[in-house]
Amino acid sequence: MLNALLQLLPQVFLEGLLLGFVYAMIALGYTMVYGVLELINFAHSEIFMIGAVTGVEAFRYLAPVIPNALLLLLIALLLGAAVSGAVAVWVERLAYRPLRKRGTTNRLVPLITAIGVSFVLQDLVRLIEAIWHNEFFLRMTSLPALEQSFALPGVFVQLKSIILVVVSILMLLGLSYLVNYTKLGTAIRAVAQDMNTAALMGINPDQIISRTFLIGGALAGVAGVLFAVQYTTISPYVGFLPGIKAFTAAVLGGIGNIPGAMVGGLVLGQLETLAGTYMPTLTNGNFGTEYKDVIAFLILILLLLFRPQGLLGQVVKEKV
Amino acid sequence: MNKNLANGLVLGATAVSLLLLLLAPNFLSGLVAIAAVGIVAYLRASVTVRSLSLALLTLGFTLGLARGSGGDLLFIGLLAVLVSLITIPGIPGWIKGLLGAAILLLSVPIAGFTNSFLFELGIQIGIYAAMALGLNVVVGMAGLLDLGYAAFFAIGAYTWAIFGSPQANQFTAGGFPLNGNFFYLFMILAIITTAITGVLIGLPALRLRGDYLAIVTLGLGEVVRVLANNLDHPVNLTNGPQGITPVERPPIDWFRSLMSFFGVHLDAKTDYQLFFYLLVLVVIGIVVAVNVNLGNSRFGRAWVAIREDETAAKAMGIPMLGTKLLAFATGAAFSGAMGVIFAAQRTFVSPESFTLLASITILGMVVLGGMGSIPGVILGAAALTILNIDLLKSFSEYLNTLRQSGATVLGFNLANLPNQFEPAKYERLVFGIVLILMMIFRPEGLIPERRHQLEAEEVKEKS
């Protein structure tokens, strides 16, 4: 039996890697917004979902027009990033900024607003799809060029999977560069550290917060399009589970910590896929794949018990 | 405004709507009468005039309901009278008590006997109000955001559903369902089980910053739903997605004879409805009493202190973990007890009733009414329940009839409307908008707690 399990391992590792990169890209949005505003942006999972739906619509309408699959995917990725980024910016402007301006100290207020935004976005997308296509469970148009596969020893790899990994790595590297070596990145880190002092240094916090939402949203949008290409069935409610798992990943890596979010995402992706694949065998089929979500939350709870600051996070003293 | 003019207007509006309700109780007269309640609540007439008007309007609504037409709107009118009773300052306590009791104990059952849907509506409002009051302890008083509240509801419901139905025979030696009298014992068992679950979940999460609790409870809600959905194997505990039915109800022969002692003869359809309605009222009474007493106790003050400023509260020597755990476990226990009632009332339990949407709905009730405010939370529960199981559905049906008749609105033929467009399915949209607008424009809620009201005024003065 052990042999059979080991034979599966490379494939499981690949699946975990794909899921992990999706989680990592979503987790970055959570962690950046949390770093700047100390807010769990529940609506972020819906920004991801909007990216996925944009991807489906782009493929639906552009596939007959554009014959080159790679060009089509590139356009879909750009569209997904643009739409998701724009929605994220407008969510911040319409829902979160008014709260900040009024200066409420109650931390529940922005959190509840975020939940409200998340619900509104879900049903708004459902409404639009219902009126537009009279259905809201969408299927990604499949392109043979992206589905072509390579059989490596022990693994079955599709071109779209390779693209997912490459694009994710590029996005993550780009983000690291942006945050660490550009003026905007410095400003974001400054606002995250101390908003008032940053304002005194001539940084406009509102603008920086808006940019943070734009970057996080665009990343989630790209993740959404890639997710849609990879997993093909999309609905307005598809953001919820990846969303909370990405948040778990952000906590796993240490919330507010950008490399932490990437590591957390990859670790969680691997753990979940491993659990999903091996649980049925190890428990003689008594507990199946459907418990993989439970595993993710158990990891979160255990982590909070033993290492609440996350894998890469540092203990922060609460400011008075 | 001149007081005499106000008195005249209030009495005039009352008289007109009373007349309309008696002559033709329908949708239109219902609207007029609700507007009259609004006038009574808004114009500063004398207390006597206002009390008299409310009493007359109650009478009007009740008589209208007894004739069995214009149902839902008149029922909402009764609730509006209840709310006005609570919110209008200066009405003497005995009038409030008498009129409130008359509405709850006479008007609603009268309405229910003519239209059993209204009984169902009343019971659902009651169950959700009691749960929202439980969540109010957690979110409103202690300021801990619990996004998995429906998980405790589910644990309570399944506790009774498994043993109060033949389901338990699947994994133990027979003898199930248990006698319906065990229902009361299981309410206590559910309270204990959910309180312990609350402590176990709260223990890791409550040691950390508040947001972690939100996400951990969200996870818990999802875990409980997944378990309920999948624990039909290896051992069939929950019967999976099909749910468990029929769940035993407590025997109510004593209740029937009690009621016939009062001259009320119940038929097989309405007896359980009246029983559950009254049971829920009693439970709400208990929950309110516990809320008030806890709020005024040492723990209540500690909760408010933690909500307002955790660091300061800690510095004052309040034991953080224990105090928070108590709030969390108390809220969980209320939810568990209501789960048992829910299971018995519907005789059917399935994982569908315990989704994230359910948790957020209950949170929405607390937020809409006013965190920490008892009348506010009950109002919020009533408003969202009516919206959810009555208004949106009626609107959907109305739209469907329009669609079938091929009516046009603003030049658009409704028959062309996609059939996926059904207002009843968009409750998330409505809840979401309610949450966002409340947080931006009135974070203290419809009927704010006194402390929040003072704060809101302070912020206004500053700006």
Side-chain angles (χ1 to χ4, degrees):
Chain A
M1 189 178 88
L2 194 66
N3 233 345
L5 291 184
L6 280 178
Q7 255 177 3
L8 278 176
L9 203 57
Q11 190 68 40
V12 174
F13 178 72
L14 175 73
E15 299 293 329
L17 199 68
L18 298 177
L19 204 56
F21 273 119
V22 172
Y23 288 163
M25 280 200 280
I26 310 173
L28 282 168
Y30 277 112
T31 235
M32 284 172 67
V33 168
Y34 195 91
V36 174
L37 288 182
E38 299 215 331
L39 160 74
I40 299 178
N41 182 15
F42 275 102
H44 193 62
S45 50
E46 269 50 67
I47 305 288
F48 161 77
M49 175 273 291
I50 287 174
V53 171
T54 310
V56 173
E57 295 298 344
F59 268 54
R60 188 202 299 257
Y61 284 98
L62 296 180
V65 191
I66 303 170
N68 187 330
L70 288 180
L71 182 66
L72 174 61
L73 181 61
L74 183 69
I75 293 176
L77 286 174
L78 291 176
L79 272 177
V83 173
S84 289
V87 173
V89 167
W90 278 100
V91 162
E92 191 272 327
R93 193 159 297 175
L94 293 179
Y96 302 149
R97 194 174 293 182
L99 301 178
R100 230 172 30 246
K101 289 290 164 256
R102 216 188 30 222
T104 41
T105 51
N106 189 343
R107 299 177 54 94
L108 287 187
V109 171
L111 213 52
I112 292 171
T113 313
I115 297 167
V117 172
S118 158
F119 268 42
V120 168
L121 288 179
Q122 283 178 5
D123 262 5
L124 220 51
V125 170
R126 175 173 168 170
L127 188 66
I128 292 170
E129 289 294 338
I131 293 177
W132 196 2
H133 300 300
N134 201 16
E135 61 178 355
F136 56 90
F137 281 99
L138 309 172
R139 267 202 84 77
M140 191 77 183
T141 317
S142 82
L143 298 179
L146 295 179
E147 310 282 333
Q148 57 180 289
S149 55
F150 316 94
L152 300 177
V155 216
F156 172 79
V157 192
Q158 282 180 306
L159 181 62
K160 60 184 187 183
S161 313
I162 298 177
I163 294 177
L164 192 153
V165 173
V166 172
V167 173
S168 313
I169 292 176
L170 286 180
M171 298 296 289
L172 300 182
L173 287 179
L175 185 79
S176 300
Y177 175 76
L178 187 130
V179 171
N180 289 318
Y181 300 106
T182 63
K183 219 168 172 179
L184 176 63
T186 316
I188 290 176
R189 280 180 291 136
V191 172
Q193 203 161 56
D194 188 332
M195 200 183 291
N196 292 330
T197 314
L200 290 175
M201 300 294 134
I203 296 169
N204 179 355
D206 278 345
Q207 193 193 4
I208 296 303
I209 290 168
S210 198
R211 295 275 161 82
T212 311
F213 273 86
L214 178 69
I215 297 167
L219 270 175
V222 169
V225 176
L226 292 172
F227 182 86
V229 173
Q230 185 69 32
Y231 300 101
T232 64
T233 28
I234 298 298
S235 82
Y237 308 110
V238 83
F240 172 64
L241 272 180
I244 36 178
K245 286 198 200 130
F247 180 81
T248 306
V251 176
L252 193 66
I255 191 141
N257 181 319
I258 289 178
M262 301 181 193
V263 174
L266 292 174
V267 170
L268 192 69
Q270 290 300 345
L271 287 177
E272 193 188 311
T273 324
L274 280 173
T277 318
Y278 291 130
M279 275 258 287
T281 331
L282 292 178
T283 59
N284 287 328
N286 287 335
F287 294 95
T289 317
E290 59 273 16
Y291 287 96
K292 66 184 197 308
D293 303 339
V294 175
I295 300 277
F297 295 120
L298 286 181
I299 291 171
L300 179 68
I301 292 177
L302 287 178
L303 185 82
L304 292 180
L305 261 177
F306 296 109
R307 198 173 160 81
Q309 71 272 31
L311 296 176
L312 301 187
Q314 287 163 340
V315 185
V316 185
K317 279 256 159 30
E318 220 162 292
K319 287 175 252 177
V320 179
Chain B
M1 191 191 276
N2 185 322
K3 200 150 201 172
N4 285 331
L5 183 60
N7 283 346
L9 278 176
V10 165
L11 283 178
T14 310
V16 168
S17 45
L18 194 59
L19 208 64
L20 278 176
L21 282 177
L22 292 181
L23 290 178
N26 58 23
F27 188 76
L28 204 66
S29 60
L31 273 187
V32 172
I34 288 178
V37 177
I39 291 174
V40 176
Y42 187 70
L43 291 184
R44 293 180 185 278
S46 76
V47 171
T48 331
V49 171
R50 286 171 132 184
S51 316
L52 181 69
S53 298
L54 288 181
L56 287 175
L57 285 168
T58 308
L59 190 68
F61 283 127
T62 313
L63 292 176
L65 283 167
R67 286 171 58 182
S69 42
D72 305 6
L73 210 61
L74 301 189
F75 187 76
I76 293 174
L78 275 181
L79 292 176
V81 173
L82 266 183
V83 174
S84 323
L85 266 183
I86 296 167
T87 47
I88 294 175
I91 294 185
W94 65 271
I95 295 186
K96 281 188 186 177
L98 212 63
L99 203 51
I103 292 176
L104 291 177
L105 297 180
L106 293 175
S107 306
V108 177
I110 287 174
F113 285 134
T114 46
N115 179 356
S116 66
F117 172 70
L118 292 178
F119 246 149
E120 183 62 30
L121 193 59
I123 295 170
Q124 293 298 328
I125 290 176
I127 289 179
Y128 278 104
M131 273 207 288
L133 282 170
L135 186 61
N136 184 42
V137 173
V138 187
V139 179
M141 290 190 191
L144 308 167
L145 191 56
D146 182 349
L147 297 180
Y149 197 60
F152 302 115
F153 189 41
I155 293 173
Y158 272 102
T159 311
W160 175 235
I162 290 171
F163 295 100
S165 73
Q167 178 65 25
N169 294 331
Q170 305 264 355
F171 55 91
T172 49
F176 294 98
L178 289 175
N179 182 298
N181 277 320
F182 278 97
F183 169 79
Y184 304 100
L185 177 70
F186 268 77
M187 268 177 86
I188 298 167
L189 278 180
I191 288 175
I192 298 169
T193 325
T194 44
I196 293 174
T197 318
V199 170
L200 288 180
I201 290 300
L203 214 47
L206 285 168
R207 294 196 303 185
L208 302 158
R209 290 260 314 270
D211 328 5
Y212 285 97
L213 182 68
I215 211 83
V216 169
T217 47
L218 187 77
L220 170 77
E222 200 54 24
V223 168
V224 168
R225 201 183 56 78
V226 170
L227 289 180
N229 238 332
N230 292 308
L231 276 185
D232 48 355
H233 66 277
V235 178
N236 190 354
L237 273 180
T238 63
N239 207 22
Q242 293 95 343
I244 300 174
T245 194
V247 181
E248 282 289 304
R249 291 169 153 183
I252 55 164
D253 294 328
W254 62 272
F255 180 71
R256 277 197 209 98
S257 41
L258 184 74
M259 282 294 123
S260 53
F261 177 76
F262 285 117
V264 184
H265 294 285
L266 299 166
D267 57 39
K269 204 176 149 200
T270 48
D271 54 355
Y272 267 109
Q273 284 185 314
L274 184 64
F275 172 75
F276 276 113
Y277 174 72
L278 293 178
L279 178 68
V280 167
L281 274 189
V282 170
V283 172
I284 290 186
I286 296 171
V287 175
V288 167
V290 173
N291 252 281
V292 171
N293 281 316
L294 271 179
N296 291 331
S297 73
R298 190 159 59 91
F299 298 113
R301 288 166 209 275
W303 289 336
V304 174
I306 292 176
R307 182 186 74 196
E308 296 301 321
D309 189 333
E310 199 167 324
T311 319
K314 208 173 188 173
M316 289 296 134
I318 294 174
M320 277 297 123
L321 188 59
T323 317
K324 283 183 181 176
L325 271 181
L326 184 70
F328 198 62
T330 311
F334 282 138
S335 189
M338 293 322 289
V340 175
I341 296 183
F342 181 79
Q345 190 253 335
R346 298 215 319 180
T347 67
F348 170 64
V349 168
S350 82
E352 255 172 60
S353 317
F354 313 107
T355 53
L356 176 70
L357 184 62
S359 296
I360 304 288
T361 307
I362 304 167
L363 179 70
M365 292 166 181
V366 177
V367 170
L368 177 68
M371 287 187 257
S373 145
I374 292 168
V377 170
I378 297 176
L379 171 65
L384 285 191
T385 312
I386 290 176
L387 181 81
N388 209 358
I389 66 177
D390 189 16
L391 292 185
L392 284 177
K393 277 209 179 90
S394 318
F395 186 56
S396 274
E397 281 160 17
Y398 177 67
L399 205 66
N400 272 334
T401 45
L402 279 186
R403 196 181 285 163
Q404 274 153 17
S405 66
T408 51
V409 176
L410 301 171
F412 180 79
N413 191 348
L414 287 179
N416 294 336
L417 217 56
N419 54 19
Q420 277 295 338
F421 176 70
E422 252 183 90
K425 299 275 168 63
Y426 289 90
E427 71 241 278
R428 285 163 193 258
L429 188 64
V430 180
F431 289 159
I433 292 174
V434 165
L435 289 180
I436 298 172
L437 292 183
M438 286 306 286
M439 285 298 111
I440 292 180
F441 295 109
R442 206 177 156 86
E444 70 272 19
L446 291 177
I447 308 179
E449 187 197 10
R450 209 185 311 143
R451 193 187 314 265
H452 281 142
Q453 200 169 11
L454 293 175
E455 263 169 30
E457 279 160 16
E458 214 170 84
V459 171
K460 261 180 210 150
E461 274 166 26
K462 265 192 214 155
S463 54

